[in-house]
Structures are given as structure tokens and as C-alpha cells.
């Protein structure tokens, strides 16, 4: 997975060739710098002079025309592990693409095929992923390990396969690209002996207020929206901006440095709006497999998770749908149940997109530039090339005190599948950064203060008064 800041270094499988870990896209970095985003990695490796023969593709962003399964996605062909692989669908015309993060002079590619190889294919390079130049062509491939030397340069390198050797698709253990790039000096990456089972922290908030406002969809237009239930910052209304959230910091969230606003369609029982009566569990998790690549949200980021126009099928198969509607013994219901065991509560869990385009802070800004959504869901555990920055994945778990006869329970937004929620980031940057680094990047299961009750030796982020503790070092030492 591609990090936007310096990750722990690593080496090629031969133990000799230095590995260049690609940085994030230049545009994304420029946007981050302009926004004064404070984000970092656990270890900042020092980059030495550029050197030829550098492995450029290890951990880079990848894409492919198809993948046979989620555990056979394209990123597994750049992870340096021959026990993993990319496998396409069983068709002749397939492609595999690598984004090196910047343009480089290129020297060769090495294709380490599994049994399903291509007999005919080309290798192409590009600086914009639009115009491609063919630098190598094979018409009688025999599989195995193929090294193709050429002269060229580019940011993107792709394999275009046109003829299969078997009845299966194409399958690569590794696709390695070598050229002239930054060498990452060796360092001592953090080492923890703890088993990593989670990479998250909580930011729990209670009910604040109802309003028919939506400062993301209908900014500056009070009463233009269906009724929303707001948690977090108490000042949220149609005129809310990130700046106003910092100016009015009274919040229902556990951590006082979280001035963010969260809201969702109001749940009705008949004509009565139902207030959630317990803290809402707001998980901040890694949405990508490489949890050490996750960075804090940029200041002022705003997005909507979910689709008001979803059908039963699109809601059931949505990337963010976790368990649907639940109560008592009912789970994975894509409609609000007609009956819940008395005394139970109706709840829903839904995950937000966690890949940012690195440029736009609002849906409107992206739309005005004709760039499409500024947030996207990961694909097979990796952020897509169009949205390279992995940010925390918010997973909202909300419960309402309704049970028994539920036939008159409904959402203010319309159908049961119209569930969605909105978020405006207004965390104090240093606190969010420390929580992301310690809990998400550190592979912990943290409470709102950044402590993992099962691994207290690893330390925390905030003390009992929610003041920042000194930096926690690998292993829990300070």
C-alpha cells in the first residue's frame, strides 16, 4: 500500500536491491501541504541520492481490469511475497497497472508468473495514464520469471495481456519495476510483539439536537432538509462551517478536542422523533489492509456516507453496509423489522468511504472541478489510484430505544434503505494525529482516550483529564 509520508524501509527479496517506497501523488502532497495537514508515519526514513536499479514498484498503488477474488487483487503482485498473487478473470484481454507515484527513468520489469501466464502481452509506460508507449512486446511467452529490459520513463507501468496459455486467466506472483529512484536508507522500524487484531479507536458521542438542516447538502439554507439527528458539536446548523465548529466547541463527544459534527436522518415512531438514549459508538478504523498507511483527516474535510436513493439490493450490497438493521435476534435485515423483542433496541452499523482524492475537501468542490466524488471506498483492501490517500474509516453504530411493534417506525429521509450520515472534521489536529498513529497505525483497539485495555503496556494518548500524554514510543516506552 502506498504511503504519503516516509514508511519503514524494506529491501527486495534478493537482499541487495534497495526498495523505493513510493510517496503519494504530488498533487495530493501539495494539497496536504497547503492545508497544513499534520500527518506522519511512525518512522521517517531518510532518502538518499537517486540510484539506478532501484525497485520502484514495491507497495505502489495498483489497478487491474479484473480480479478473480478479493484475496487475489493486484496489490498482491507488488507486496514482495511470493505466497500471494494477482489473478484475473478467465478472459484473454486483461491489464494490470502500477502507479509509481512520480515519473522515473525506467530500466526493466520482472514478471514472476504463476502457472497461468500470458503467451502474448505488451508492457507500456505513461506519465498521465492516458497516452501509452509500448516499451516491450512478447508474442511467444513461456511463463516462469521473465525479465524485460528497455529504455523509457513514466509514472505508470502496465501489462496488457492478449493471449492466455491456459484456460484460466493470468496470474502473477510479482510484477517488479526497476529504474532510477530514491533509495530509502535502512532504519529500525517499530517492532511490537503483540498480535494485531484491531486498528481503531472510538469517538463516542451522545444526542445533541434535531434540526431540518444539512450544512453539507444545503449550506446556508435552514429548513431545506428532512429532519436530522445531530450528535457531537452542539452548534451545528445550516450555516455551520469547520471554522464555526472551532469557534463553538461545546460538544457531546467524549473527547473534548473532537469538535466535529455528525448527523443522520431522524428515526420516527409514528409522528414522534426518537432520540438515541445511549452514546453513539463512532469507530475510527483502518479501511485498508495496510493500516500503517492511514493518515488523519485533513482539516475541514466533509462527506456523506450512504445513498438516499438506495434500493434494497443496492443497500444490501453497498460497500458501507455492515449488518443492516438489527434488534434482538434480528440481524442483516435490509429493511426496518416489523417487530423487535420488547426491551431491545433498533440499531444499524454503516461504514464510510476511507480513501480521499487528496485535493477536495467537500463534495461540491470536487463536482465544480468535474472530478467526481472526493471520497471512495477501498477496492480489495487498497485505495484506488483515483483516491490514493487512506484516511480513517468511520463506522457509525447507532441505537434507538424502540421495540415491540415496529410497523410505524421509519426514517425522515424516506425508505428504510435511504440511511446515510454526514461528517465535518473539526478535530484538533495534534490529538487526531496522535490517535491515528498510536491506535490505527499501531494496531490497537483503543477507547476514546487512546488506551487499549488489553495492551496497557503500549500506553495511551490522553490522560484522565484528556490532556495529551508525552509521545508514546514503540513498545510503550516514553
Amino acid at each position: 500500500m502506498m504511503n504519503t509520508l516516509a514508511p519503514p524501509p524494506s529491501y527486495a527479496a534478493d537482499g541487495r536491491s534497495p526498495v523505493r517506497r513510493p510517496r503519494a501523488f504530488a498533487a495530493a502532497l501539495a494539497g496536504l501541504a497547503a492545508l497544513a495537514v499534520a500527518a506522519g508515519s511512525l518512522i521517517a526514513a531518510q532518502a538518499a541520492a537517486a540510484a539506478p536499479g532501484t525497485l520502484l514498484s514495491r507497495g505502489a498503488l495498483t489497478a487491474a481490469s479484473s480480479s478473480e477474488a478479493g484475496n487475489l487483487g493486484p496489490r498482491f503482485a507488488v507486496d514482495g511475497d511470493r505466497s500471494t498473487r494477482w489473478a484475473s478473470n478467465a478472459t484473454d484481454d486483461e491489464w494490470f497497472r502500477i502507479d509509481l507515484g512520480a515519473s522515473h527513468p525506467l530500466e526493466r520489469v520482472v514478471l514472476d508468473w504463476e502457472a497461468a501466464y500470458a503467451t502474448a502481452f505488451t508492457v507500456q509506460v505513461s506519465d498521465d495514464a492516458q497516452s501509452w508507449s509500448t516499451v516491450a512486446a512478447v508474442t511467444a511467452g513461456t511463463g516462469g520469471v521473465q525479465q524485460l529490459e528497455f529504455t523509457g520513463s513514466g509514472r505508470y507501468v502496465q501489462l496488457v495481456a492478449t493471449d492466455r496459455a491456459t484456460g484460466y486467466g493470468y496470474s502473477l506472483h510479482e510484477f517488479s519495476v526497476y529504474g532510477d529512484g530514491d533509495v530509502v536508507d535502512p532504519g529500525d522500524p517499530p517492532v511490537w510483539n503483540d498480535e494485531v487484531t484491531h486498528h481503531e479507536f472510538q469517538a463516542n458521542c451522545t444526542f445533541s439536537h434535531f434540526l431540518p438542516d444539512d450544512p453539507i447538502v444545503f449550506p446556508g439554507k435552514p429548513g431545506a432538509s428532512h429532519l436530522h439527528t445531530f450528535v457531537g458539536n452542539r452548534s451545528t446548523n445550516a450555516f455551520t462551517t469547520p471554522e464555526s465548529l472551532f469557534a463553538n466547541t461545546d460538544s457531546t463527544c467524549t473527547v473534548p478536542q473532537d469538535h466535529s459534527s455528525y448527523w443522520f436522518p431522524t428515526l420516527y415512531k409514528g409522528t414522534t422523533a426518537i432520540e438515541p438514549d445511549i452514546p453513539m459508538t463512532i469507530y475510527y478504523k483502518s479501511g485498508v489492509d495496510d493500516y500503517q498507511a492511514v493518515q488523519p483527516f485533513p482539516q475541514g474535510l466533509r462527506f456523506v456516507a450512504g445513498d438516499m436513493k438506495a434500493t434494497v439490493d443496492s443497500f444490501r450490497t453497498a460497500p458501507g453496509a455492515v449488518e443492516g438493521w438489527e434488534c434482538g435476534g434480528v440481524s442483516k435485515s435490509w429493511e426496518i423489522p416489523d417487530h423487535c423483542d420488547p426491551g431491545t433496541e433498533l440499531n444499524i452499523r454503516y461504514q464510510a468511504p476511507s480513501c480521499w482524492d487528496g485535493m477536495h475537501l467537500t463534495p461540491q468542490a470536487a463536482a465544480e472541478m468535474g472530478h467526481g466524488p472526493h471520497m471512495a471506498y477501498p477496492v480489495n483492501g487498497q485505495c484506488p489510484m483515483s483516491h490514493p490517500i487512506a484516511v480513517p474509516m468511520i463506522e457509525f453504530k447507532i441505537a434507538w430505544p424502540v421495540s415491540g411493534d415496529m410497523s410505524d417506525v421509519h426514517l425522515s429521509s424516506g425508505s428504510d434503505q435511504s440511511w446515510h450520515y454526514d461528517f465535518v472534521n473539526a478535530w484538533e489536529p495534534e490529538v487526531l494525529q496522535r490517535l491515528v498513529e498510536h491506535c490505527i497505525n499501531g494496531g490497537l483497539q483503543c477507547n476514546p482516550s487512546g488506551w487499549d485495555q488489553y495492551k496497557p503496556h503500549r500506553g495511551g494518548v490522553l490522560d484522565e483529564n484528556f490532556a495529551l500524554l508525552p509521545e508514546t514510543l514503540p513498545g510503550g516506552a516514553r
Side-chain angles (χ1 to χ4, degrees):
M1 191 66 56
M2 186 166 67
N3 288 341
T4 57
L5 296 165
S10 64
Y11 289 88
D14 60 13
R16 298 186 301 275
S17 301
V19 172
R20 177 191 175 273
R21 290 277 193 161
R23 302 288 194 265
F25 306 129
L29 285 179
L32 290 172
L35 295 167
V37 175
S41 61
L42 297 171
I43 293 292
Q46 299 297 314
T54 299
L55 175 59
L56 300 169
S57 53
R58 181 72 57 81
L61 281 183
T62 57
S65 52
S66 68
S67 296
E68 187 179 339
N71 63 343
L72 298 172
R75 66 191 177 87
F76 292 108
V78 296
D79 64 357
D81 183 355
R82 288 199 78 254
S83 68
T84 64
R85 61 190 175 94
W86 165 66
S88 76
N89 290 339
T91 58
D92 282 326
D93 296 320
E94 299 283 347
W95 54 263
F96 180 104
R97 185 175 302 165
I98 298 174
D99 181 355
L100 301 175
S103 185
H104 294 274
L106 303 174
E107 302 166 1
R108 70 184 189 274
V109 297
V110 179
L111 306 174
D112 184 355
W113 295 99
E114 196 247 356
Y117 63 94
T119 56
F121 63 90
T122 58
V123 176
Q124 302 175 342
V125 299
S126 173
D127 276 326
D128 59 7
Q130 301 295 321
S131 300
W132 296 90
S133 299
T134 298
V135 294
V138 174
T139 56
T142 56
V145 177
Q146 290 180 281
Q147 177 168 291
L148 303 174
E149 296 184 356
F150 58 88
T151 300
S153 65
R155 168 174 170 169
Y156 302 90
V157 180
Q158 72 177 8
L159 166 77
V160 179
T162 54
D163 195 6
R164 292 171 290 155
T166 72
Y168 298 99
Y170 304 103
S171 184
L172 281 167
H173 289 296
E174 287 291 308
F175 184 176
S176 302
V177 180
Y178 292 85
D180 197 343
D182 293 339
V183 178
V184 178
D185 286 341
D188 294 323
V191 176
W192 298 301
N193 294 324
D194 305 315
E195 180 185 5
V196 175
T197 57
H198 295 76
H199 16 72
E200 65 183 48
F201 66 91
Q202 294 183 18
N204 301 339
C205 309
T206 57
F207 170 77
S208 173
H209 59 281
F210 295 122
L211 271 180
D213 291 356
D214 190 325
I216 294 180
V217 179
F218 299 108
K221 297 180 180 179
S225 172
H226 52 259
L227 192 66
H228 279 112
T229 300
F230 292 84
V231 303
N233 197 299
R234 294 183 185 275
S235 72
T236 309
N237 59 32
F239 301 97
T240 288
T241 64
E243 294 75 19
S244 73
L245 295 176
F246 275 96
N248 303 278
T249 59
D250 187 22
S251 175
T252 68
C253 295
T254 302
V255 176
Q257 294 95 330
D258 181 9
H259 314 310
S260 306
S261 183
Y262 313 82
W263 64 95
F264 46 88
T266 296
L267 187 83
Y268 281 93
K269 184 168 177 56
T271 58
T272 302
I274 305 299
E275 295 183 11
D277 63 345
I278 59 176
M280 303 297 97
T281 304
I282 305 172
Y283 296 101
Y284 280 59
K285 298 183 174 184
S286 174
V288 296
D289 289 349
D290 184 4
Y291 56 89
Q292 291 185 342
V294 176
Q295 298 185 26
F297 291 123
Q299 277 297 299
L301 182 69
R302 284 156 274 191
F303 62 76
V304 181
D307 180 5
M308 254 188 61
K309 299 180 180 179
T311 63
V312 172
D313 188 59
S314 64
F315 182 50
R316 178 181 58 82
T317 59
V322 180
E323 293 154 349
W325 298 100
E326 297 185 314
C327 64
V330 177
S331 64
K332 294 189 180 300
S333 174
W334 309 109
E335 297 178 325
I336 296 174
D338 288 333
H339 183 272
C340 290
D341 294 340
T344 63
E345 293 198 327
L346 178 70
N347 66 76
I348 190 170
R349 292 165 66 108
Y350 200 93
Q351 296 175 337
S354 57
C355 297
W356 178 46
D357 68 5
M359 295 181 286
H360 306 105
L361 295 176
T362 68
Q364 293 89 339
E368 288 170 2
M369 297 298 294
H371 290 168
H374 67 314
M375 300 293 295
Y377 284 94
V379 178
N380 295 330
Q382 182 187 33
C383 283
M385 290 184 181
S386 58
H387 295 73
I389 312 299
V391 293
M393 183 271 286
I394 292 180
E395 182 178 307
F396 226 129
K397 182 176 182 180
I398 301 169
W400 296 267
V402 290
S403 62
D405 181 8
M406 301 278 289
S407 59
D408 59 348
V409 173
H410 60 98
L411 292 172
S412 62
S413 52
S415 72
D416 299 351
Q417 298 79 41
S418 67
W419 172 254
H420 59 280
Y421 58 87
D422 302 52
F423 168 69
V424 179
N425 175 43
W427 277 87
E428 293 186 14
E430 185 178 4
V431 174
L432 179 60
Q433 178 180 338
R434 291 275 301 279
L435 286 167
V436 168
E437 290 178 349
H438 182 65
C439 301
I440 297 179
N441 301 154
L444 298 176
Q445 184 180 16
C446 293
N447 66 13
S449 294
W451 291 85
D452 187 332
Q453 64 174 325
Y454 302 106
K455 301 172 184 177
H457 60 282
R458 292 284 296 277
V461 175
L462 302 171
D463 65 17
E464 63 275 10
N465 297 314
F466 298 103
L468 273 171
L469 291 164
E471 289 280 0
T472 301
L473 302 177
R478 296 188 184 282

